[in-house]
């Protein structure tokens, strides 16, 4: 019958394995799912490697509210399998990174040089659907929700073309998947959001993959002193390897950690970064930076139901308090450049990778996350 035309191939439903989260606080269930073909302006991707991020775990525990059932995952790299109508910038075989923060190029935040929170993001609404209000995933006859427009805990996913970046075809996908979230988020918080300057002092609260990436950003920006703060001292060796000059465990002191940092530095640090996602550490990071020109950046995802109350004098004296999503980068523009920089050895990713597991062992991966390993 001859070769099947490509346009027909791209209309097939794909059956594959995915890690489905049916309800909160339960393990992932490896299921066969059906992945619909990409609609207009959509791209279907074969996921080759995906990282595990604390933000995925926040959905499981309920501190980031999303609808169930859902396919989580937002830090990945893969290969384009097929494209929908109207897609001109991607073709099958392209190596890509899905973007949990899209870049439409048309909204006020995309147009502004100061912004990166594209209006088409799924943070505020948490609808868990494609932009047209429907899902591309079905399991056991039921629709399954998407996560942040990416859903990478599956062998195949569908994303909108505003939520994917084409990258160097030579890039190792099992490494550069980290540029889809953890590395870019941390590194960018230092170089892009805070704009750390040479000779400055920094404190980084939380030494997971994102916190370690903040340290790399502070070092790349020329900070003279980088103080790593974590209640797990096992994290200190790697923090020092990546550029931390001092390590502080708050449990070793009888006074608040911000007082410890102020004593260590004289007036507090020039820049502090909260990379945990806890109210108490956000306040400690703010209080630990210099009272007049210190800058504190919230990088960790805030818990859904909690509110902060604090002494406004902390800000009145001149401190700046900022938030940073995806390191302040415009995603579609920045990701290919960051991958190119990695290929030029401008930064390393290997130290951020502690374990490599087969996809079916995803629950073990989350156990390693939760135990700080």
């Amino acid at each position: 019958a001859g070769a099947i035309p490509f346009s027909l191939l791209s209309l097939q439903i794909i059956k594959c394995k995915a890690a489905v989260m049916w309800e909160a606080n339960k393990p992932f269930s490896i299921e066969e799912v059906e992945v619909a073909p990409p609609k207009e302006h959509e791209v279907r991707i074969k996921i080759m490697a995906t990282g595990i991020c604390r933000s995925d775990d926040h959905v499981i525990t309920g501190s980031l509210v999303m609808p169930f059932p859902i396919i989580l995952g937002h830090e990945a790299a893969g290969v384009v399998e097929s494209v929908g109508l109207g897609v001109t910038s991607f073709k099958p075989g392209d190596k890509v990174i899905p973007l949990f923060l899209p870049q439409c190029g048309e909204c006020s935040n995309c147009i502004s040089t100061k912004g990166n929170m594209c209006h088409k993001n799924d943070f505020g609404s948490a609808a868990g659907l494609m932009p047209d209000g429907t899902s591309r995933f079905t399991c056991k006859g039921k629709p399954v929700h998407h996560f942040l427009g990416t859903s990478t805990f599956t062998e195949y996913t569908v994303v909108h073309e505003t939520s994917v970046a084409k990258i160097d075809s030579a890039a190792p996908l099992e490494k550069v998947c980290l540029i889809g979230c953890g590395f870019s988020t941390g590194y960018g918080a230092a170089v892009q959001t805070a704009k750390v300057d040479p000779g400055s002092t920094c404190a980084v609260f939380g030494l997971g993959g994102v916190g370690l990436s903040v340290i790399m950003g502070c070092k790349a920006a020329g900070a003279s002193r980088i103080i790593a703060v974590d209640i797990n001292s096992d994290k200190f060796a790697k923090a020092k390897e990546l550029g931390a000059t001092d390590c502080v465990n708050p449990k070793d002191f009888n006074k608040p950690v911000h007082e410890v940092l102020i004593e260590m530095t004289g007036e507090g640090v020039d820049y502090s970064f909260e990379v945990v996602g806890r109210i108490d550490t956000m306040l400690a990071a703010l209080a630990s930076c210099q009272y007049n020109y210190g800058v504190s950046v919230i990088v960790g995802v805030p818990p859904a139901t909690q509110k902060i109350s604090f002494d406004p004098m902390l800000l009145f004296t001149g401190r700046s308090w900022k938030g940073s999503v995806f390191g302040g980068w415009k995603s579609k523009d920045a990701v290919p450049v960051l991958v190119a920089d990695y290929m030029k050895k401008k930064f390393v990713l290997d130290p951020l990778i502690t374990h490599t597991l087969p996809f079916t062992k995803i629950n073990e991966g989350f156990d390693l996350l939760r135990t700080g390993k």
Side-chain angles (χ1 to χ4, degrees):
I4 299 171
F6 165 70
S7 58
L8 288 179
L9 276 178
S10 63
L11 297 176
Q12 305 293 318
I13 287 172
I14 288 178
K15 290 184 175 177
C16 68
K17 284 202 295 270
V20 177
M21 179 60 51
W22 290 103
E23 53 184 304
N25 295 304
K26 290 277 167 68
F28 289 91
S29 179
I30 302 292
E31 306 276 7
E32 182 181 83
V33 299
E34 295 179 340
V35 184
K39 293 188 183 178
E40 194 171 2
H41 295 295
E42 293 176 359
V43 179
R44 189 158 60 181
I45 302 166
K46 181 180 172 68
I47 298 290
M48 306 304 287
T50 184
I52 289 175
C53 177
R54 181 66 76 177
S55 306
D56 301 306
D57 194 45
H58 285 330
V59 179
I60 299 165
T61 60
S63 73
L64 184 58
V65 178
M66 292 280 164
F68 293 95
I70 191 167
I71 294 173
L72 295 173
H74 63 282
E75 178 182 275
V79 177
V80 172
E81 176 270 338
S82 59
V83 299
L85 286 170
V87 174
T88 54
S89 44
F90 302 96
K91 64 185 186 304
D94 284 347
K95 281 192 179 179
V96 291
I97 288 179
L99 307 170
F100 71 87
L101 184 63
Q103 185 184 345
C104 72
E106 296 166 0
C107 70
S108 58
N109 290 349
C110 282
I111 291 167
S112 166
T113 56
K114 301 173 187 173
N116 75 327
M117 274 289 275
C118 176
H119 291 185
K120 293 205 159 81
N121 77 74
D122 193 29
F123 288 89
S125 66
L129 297 167
M130 294 296 284
D132 72 349
T134 62
S135 170
R136 300 293 164 270
F137 299 118
T138 313
C139 184
K140 297 177 180 170
K142 292 188 184 125
V144 177
H145 290 91
H146 294 249
F147 179 53
L148 300 181
T150 49
S151 288
T152 63
F153 293 166
T154 169
E155 292 174 321
Y156 288 87
T157 192
V158 177
V159 303
H160 194 271
E161 67 177 342
T162 55
S163 296
V164 61
K166 184 176 167 179
I167 60 167
D168 183 341
S169 61
L173 299 183
E174 74 284 0
K175 313 271 194 225
V176 298
C177 61
L178 298 183
I179 291 173
C181 177
F183 172 77
S184 309
T185 294
Y187 191 79
V191 303
Q192 182 80 8
T193 304
K195 297 190 165 48
V196 167
D197 33 27
S200 56
T201 56
C202 301
V204 181
F205 288 69
L207 304 176
V210 183
L212 293 171
S213 301
V214 175
I215 289 173
M216 289 157 71
C218 293
K219 185 180 179 187
S224 61
R225 194 169 183 194
I226 303 167
I227 305 169
V229 183
D230 202 296
I231 56 173
N232 179 355
S233 298
D234 295 346
K235 307 253 181 180
F236 292 165
K238 185 153 285 182
K240 289 204 155 158
E241 178 195 329
L242 291 173
T245 54
D246 309 74
C247 295
V248 170
N249 187 330
K251 289 180 166 174
D252 295 343
F253 299 89
N254 295 324
K255 56 179 135 189
V257 68
H258 75 271
E259 292 180 13
V260 175
L261 294 177
I262 287 169
E263 280 177 20
M264 286 172 71
T265 55
E267 292 187 345
V269 296
D270 298 310
Y271 301 95
S272 67
F273 300 87
E274 198 279 353
V275 205
V276 185
R278 289 176 57 102
I279 299 300
D280 53 347
T281 39
M282 289 173 188
L283 286 169
L286 178 67
S288 68
C289 71
Q290 208 273 358
Y291 68 94
N292 181 210
Y293 52 78
V295 175
S296 188
V297 182
I298 294 175
V299 188
V301 177
T305 54
Q306 295 177 24
K307 300 282 181 271
I308 282 188
S309 59
F310 66 100
D311 178 355
M313 189 58 80
L314 283 167
L315 293 180
F316 176 72
T317 55
R319 285 183 184 88
S320 300
W321 210 359
K322 306 181 98 166
S324 181
V325 174
F326 197 59
W329 305 108
K330 289 187 187 288
S331 57
K332 235 171 149 62
D333 294 345
V335 163
V337 175
L338 288 166
V339 170
D341 284 349
Y342 170 73
M343 300 297 281
K344 291 177 197 148
K345 299 189 164 48
K346 289 193 181 175
F347 54 81
V348 293
L349 292 172
D350 279 27
L352 302 177
I353 301 170
T354 57
H355 298 74
T356 303
L357 300 168
F359 178 45
T360 50
K361 292 197 173 173
I362 188 166
N363 286 306
E364 291 177 35
F366 273 83
D367 290 340
L368 290 163
L369 173 83
R370 291 170 191 135
T371 52
K373 298 195 174 94

